[in-house]
Structure formats: structure tokens, C-alpha cells
Amino acid sequence: MTACPDRVIPMPQVAAMAAPEPENTLAPEARQAAYLGARAQAIGWCSILAGALSGMLMGLWSFDGPFPVPGWIGGYDELPRRFLRLAHIAMFALGMLHVMVGKWLATSRMPHRFKRSGYATMALGNFLMPATLIGAAIWAPLKYATAVPTLALTIAFAIVAQDAVRAMRRV
């Protein structure tokens, strides 16, 4: 087998043949909104992944899994185990809601400061709710701290709901 040097394209020429990068023509505020929306969606998908991974971990001892239930978790109806199951489900549910909030706010007409507030409070609630529930499984009095992520999530949902109502009225 012989090489055909006249048909080989040197690497610099291959790079020159690549399509040029499109210029970003979005205004700075719109570009930031698009970035925040993409980041919110990425956080949401990571939360869903964390929910799947936590389910895999809990599956090691649940439903007659290969390992015994750790002593501190207790039986099926024990409070620590219930908090862990709730944290697992919260990772999925809040992850899906985070993706939805990210998509909504990225295209919303609301002022950018409200969008930032919606993104920030959603992220805060998405991180803190499962963390607080897992913490409450370890130390029960921490269950009262779930008010903090609940408030953050309520603010995020109120921002999106208000914008959705305004969008509906514009139609």
C-alpha cells in the first residue's frame, strides 16, 4: 500500500476549511439571559442525575438488596429513611422544575433583575432542599431548616408564575 502525497491535506489547510464561528449578535443582556437559562438547565439535569445515583445507592439495601440497611437509617417507616427517600425524589422533581424554569426565564420578557432572582432562588432551593433532607436524616432537628429552601423555591415559582400570567394576558 502506497501513500498518495498529492491527496493529503496538511493540517493548517483542514483548519481553514472548517466553518467560521458565527458571531454572537445578541445584546449583552439577552446573551446573559441565554447563558443563565442554559446554566439553569444544566443544574437541573445534574440534579436529575444525582437523583438517579442516589436511587442506585439506596437500592443497595432496599427491596432485599445485596447489603443490609445501615443501622442509622433504620426500617422502612423510620424517619431517617423517609427523609432519604424524600431527598431522592426531590432531586428528580426539583431537577425537572429547574429545567422548566431555565427554559421559561431564558425567553421571558421580564426585567433581567427578576430573571436573575428567579434563577438564583431556584438554584438555592434545588441545592438546599435535598441537602437539608439528607442532613435531617442524620440529625432530626435539621428538618426545621427545610423552611429556607422552601422559601427560595416559593420565590422562584412566584416569579415564573407571575410572568406566565402576564404572558397569557398578552396573547
Side-chain angles (χ1 to χ4, degrees):
M1 182 188 253
T2 59
C4 298
D6 59 331
R7 294 187 186 178
V8 176
I9 300 173
M11 291 306 286
Q13 289 178 356
V14 171
M17 291 172 34
E21 287 286 322
E23 289 188 34
N24 194 339
T25 58
L26 292 175
E29 194 170 284
R31 190 177 15 212
Q32 187 177 16
Y35 168 75
L36 291 173
R39 186 175 73 180
Q41 291 175 55
I43 292 170
W45 283 110
C46 288
S47 179
I48 293 168
L49 174 62
L53 293 173
S54 68
M56 288 173 44
L57 179 66
M58 290 190 304
L60 294 175
W61 63 75
S62 300
F63 311 111
D64 295 324
F67 297 103
V69 177
W72 66 273
I73 294 175
Y76 188 79
D77 288 336
E78 297 293 322
L79 195 57
R81 196 161 176 179
R82 290 166 56 189
F83 278 134
L84 289 177
R85 286 195 312 265
L86 187 56
H88 161 67
I89 294 303
M91 290 176 205
F92 277 109
L94 293 175
M96 287 184 265
L97 288 168
H98 210 136
V99 170
M100 292 170 57
V101 166
K103 285 182 177 282
W104 181 270
L105 291 179
T107 59
S108 169
R109 291 185 189 175
M110 73 170 44
H112 194 66
R113 67 181 183 275
F114 291 117
K115 289 182 183 187
R116 280 194 317 265
S117 297
Y119 288 129
T121 54
M122 185 68 211
L124 184 67
N126 193 356
F127 289 126
L128 286 182
M129 184 60 79
T132 305
L133 291 168
I134 292 167
I138 297 166
W139 187 56
L142 200 55
K143 67 185 174 185
Y144 301 111
T146 58
V148 174
T150 300
L151 178 62
L153 292 166
T154 302
I155 292 168
F157 299 148
I159 289 170
V160 173
Q162 179 187 22
D163 190 56
V165 169
R166 285 185 178 166
M168 176 190 68
R169 289 182 180 159
R170 283 192 295 265
V171 181

